[in-house]
Amino acid sequence: MTRKHIVARGRVQGVGFRYICQSIASKYNVTGWIENKFDGSVEMEVQGLEHRVDLFIEEVKKGNRFVRVDSLAIHDIPSVNAIDERGFRVRY
């Protein structure tokens, strides 16, 4: 089990990026959260089996015709108890 703290920069606010990430997280069965920051970046934490988290990150990097991810700052952080966190949620 691995957990990553990620900050995404680019055209990542106002284009559905958080909900796209939520869909990708569901696809790879990873948990965590995501939220917009005041500086225009998007912050998230993602937890799951290492290969699934890696797949999540690779797909997020691709963006789509609305989303452009210029950079992802990724750091390993301690895992949380899986019982305490279910799913991948959008924070407000």
Side-chain angles (χ1 to χ4, degrees):
M1 189 75 62
T2 188
R3 188 173 187 90
K4 307 276 187 189
H5 176 263
I6 303 168
V7 176
R9 297 191 188 286
R11 191 173 57 225
V12 292
Q13 286 194 17
V15 290
F17 180 66
R18 291 177 298 163
Y19 300 98
I20 291 166
C21 289
Q22 190 174 41
S23 176
I24 296 168
S26 178
K27 176 179 176 180
Y28 293 114
N29 196 28
V30 297
T31 63
W33 55 265
I34 188 167
E35 71 180 354
N36 286 342
K37 303 308 284 183
F38 290 110
D39 66 359
S41 66
V42 175
E43 179 181 23
M44 65 185 102
E45 290 186 7
V46 182
Q47 178 171 302
L49 297 175
E50 188 166 0
H51 72 281
R52 291 176 186 253
V53 171
D54 290 343
L55 290 169
F56 169 87
I57 291 169
E58 286 306 312
E59 193 161 337
V60 166
K61 281 181 186 177
K62 293 178 185 175
N64 65 20
R65 66 183 189 179
F66 304 109
V67 173
R68 186 189 72 248
V69 178
D70 292 336
S71 68
L72 291 177
I74 305 169
H75 302 283
D76 292 320
I77 58 174
S79 297
V80 299
N81 188 334
I83 294 171
D84 295 336
E85 181 174 71
R86 299 197 179 176
F88 187 88
R89 64 188 172 89
V90 175
R91 286 183 173 179
Y92 298 95

